[in-house]
Amino acid sequence: MHSLIAELQRLFGRPGQDLPDPLPADGVDLDLVSPDGRVWAMAVGVAPAAGWAPVAALCEGAVNGLALPPPAVSLAAGAGFRVWFSLADPVPLARAEAFLAGLQARFLADVPAALVSLLPSAVG
């Protein structure tokens, strides 16, 4: 297995969900919620219109304010930024949603809600 795929699987995959190696050019959809309703990884999406500053504030707040490990950040031209949080142990979807909503309220309060997405979400 290619080392990038192995690391992606370790950080963001869940048991029983294998990432293809190599990754296809059009990407791969990660199912962030297991069949039993548990979450292994979460992401906060910030649209390109919001810019980098709120993403940086979220990352800094997570590390310095909440003493979390540094999150991963990804960028896709159309989708914008995604700030990824991996979990050592899975949590119920409702708990993950509450955590993400708390991050949004605490660190992204000045960003219009339409420019923020929380993943996973039972809504949508």
Side-chain angles (χ1 to χ4, degrees):
M1 178 181 284
H2 188 274
S3 61
L4 172 61
I5 303 302
E7 287 303 303
L8 290 172
Q9 183 70 44
R10 180 182 68 82
L11 292 169
F12 306 114
R14 60 177 171 74
Q17 181 183 41
D18 292 324
L19 298 176
D21 187 8
L23 289 174
D26 59 347
V28 65
D29 288 328
L30 287 178
D31 187 1
L32 299 177
V33 183
S34 68
D36 67 351
R38 299 178 74 68
V39 175
W40 292 80
M42 306 173 289
V44 176
V46 180
W52 169 251
V55 176
L58 172 59
C59 292
E60 181 181 350
V63 173
N64 296 328
L66 301 177
L68 296 175
V73 178
S74 64
L75 173 63
F81 301 95
R82 291 250 167 94
V83 180
W84 292 89
F85 298 90
S86 297
L87 304 174
D89 297 304
V91 298
L93 175 58
R95 185 170 176 196
E97 289 176 313
F99 175 77
L100 293 171
L103 287 176
Q104 182 180 11
R106 183 167 177 180
F107 300 113
L108 301 173
D110 294 337
V111 178
L115 298 180
V116 177
S117 59
L118 306 176
L119 304 167
S121 173
V123 178

